[in-house]
Each structure stands twice: as structure tokens, then as C-alpha cells.
Amino acid sequence: MINGQATGESCRPGRIEVVCGSMFSGKTEELIRRMRRAKFARQRVEIFKPALDTRYSDVDVVSHDKQSIQCTPIDSSSSILLLSSGIEVVGIDEAQFFDDRLPEVCNELANRGIRVIVAGLDMDFMGRPFGPMPALCAIADDVTKVHAICVRCGNLAYVSHRLVDNDKRVLLGETNEYEPLCRECYHKEMEARNAAER
């Protein structure tokens, strides 16, 4: 106890934790790990993902290394508020695909005393801040940036480089569509692509 108050996970106030990084960096694995610890501590948990993410499963959050946890697919961030009654820990995967109201929703949950754990891509395939992630990082109590390994040189990856010729910002994919690259290798790739288009 500190100053007559209990300390520890069960007594901490609501907060927002963001896990961000490129594809293949372990964001979802970290989200699943934290949610499983909360379940082990007998906390009431619920995890949400965008309904459009059906890559591995319609009803589970699944990491690239095939770890999974049951979830509730939803179409808008406002649904999280409706479905979080009596929940102590809320997990949100693929946050970059949600609408811009997500930071407001997360703030409201945290202000209710709920622990909110959010995982998502911080940048899109062009290296631009992605969806509500910048705002979530700004309001978070804790931000963990995880890194994949650059497949070209072995340094820490910076961005998810898209391998297929498609300019849509949202394109669900795996190793056939994306590869993690460090800043230097990504810029070399962009220079080579621009030179080829001239």
C-alpha cells in the first residue's frame, strides 16, 4: 500500500494502452497476451475487431503466428460502447480500420474505469499515419511500438511495404501482399520504383 491506497493491476484506474507498429511486428500477439493475462486474473474482458477483417476467422482475432482469441466483430466504434457493459478490460484489434470516433470511444471507456488495449498499424503502406491511430497514440496512457525485422537487411522494420500493384489504402493481406522494410530499404525500393516508372 502507498499512502493508505492499494496498488496493483486490479486497483489501477481506467487507461488506454496502444500497441502499434508495422505488419508482422507482433501487435496482435501482444494484444492477445495482455487479454489472456486479464482473463487469468478473472477480469471480465471483451475483444473487438472490424467486421471487414475476415483473413483468418470471422469470430476470432488471429495473429500471423496463428494465436487466437474469441472476439466480437463490429462495423463501427460506437458499437464498442454498447457492448462493453460490465466489462473491465476491452481489447481492440486492427484499430486503423475503425472510424475517427474510436479515440473518443476509448477515452469514454477509460473515464469509466475500463482498461482499453488497442493494437493497430501506425502507418499505411505509403508511410502515412493510418486512420485513428495517431490520435489514439496521443491520448494513450502508454504506447508500445513493436518492430518487425526488415526482410532485406535484418534491421528493425519501419513500414509495411505493399508488394502488389494496388493503390487502395485498405487492402487486407499477408506475406504475399506485404513485407516489412526498414526506412533505408523502403526508400531504396521507392526510388527504384519511381525510376522504373519514368
Side-chain angles (χ1 to χ4, degrees), residues 25-193:
S25 61
K27 301 178 304 300
T28 299
E29 287 97 323
E30 179 60 19
L31 173 65
I32 291 171
R33 186 188 73 82
R34 294 185 192 187
M35 295 302 290
R36 284 184 174 155
R37 282 172 60 95
K39 282 176 112 174
F40 184 75
R42 295 190 171 93
Q43 293 177 307
R44 295 183 302 278
V45 307
E46 185 66 61
I47 187 164
F48 301 95
K49 75 170 184 177
L52 66 85
D53 182 11
T54 57
R55 281 173 296 179
Y56 294 119
S57 168
D58 291 339
V59 294
D60 290 329
V61 165
V62 183
S63 67
H64 292 297
D65 69 352
K66 304 299 187 268
Q67 293 183 52
S68 66
I69 192 168
Q70 192 171 8
C71 74
T72 302
I74 54 172
D75 290 313
S76 73
S77 61
S78 56
S79 299
I80 298 171
L81 292 175
L82 298 172
L83 299 170
S84 297
S85 178
I87 300 299
E88 294 172 281
V89 183
V90 166
I92 303 167
D93 195 36
E94 301 292 357
Q96 74 278 356
F97 294 143
F98 280 108
D99 53 87
D100 289 338
R101 187 159 179 248
L102 185 60
E104 179 188 334
V105 167
C106 292
N107 248 343
E108 185 168 335
L109 292 171
N111 291 341
R112 290 184 195 170
I114 296 170
R115 179 185 178 197
V116 184
I117 308 167
V118 182
L121 292 169
D122 49 0
M123 293 187 290
D124 66 13
F125 74 104
M126 294 293 290
R128 300 170 299 197
F130 204 163
M133 289 300 291
L136 284 164
C137 288
I139 64 170
D141 299 85
D142 180 67
V143 177
T144 303
K145 180 142 182 173
V146 289
H147 295 275
I149 300 300
C150 176
V151 296
R152 307 279 177 92
C153 71
N155 285 327
L156 293 180
Y158 161 74
V159 71
S160 309
H161 171 240
R162 185 174 288 173
L163 297 167
V164 295
D165 187 18
N166 187 317
D167 288 335
K168 282 175 58 178
R169 191 165 201 202
V170 175
L171 176 68
L172 295 173
E174 291 301 315
T175 53
N176 291 332
E177 292 81 22
Y178 294 94
E179 64 181 358
L181 295 182
C182 71
R183 186 184 291 268
E184 185 177 356
C185 289
Y186 176 71
H187 285 293
K188 284 180 184 173
E189 178 68 28
M190 291 299 100
E191 286 171 6
R193 183 176 293 185

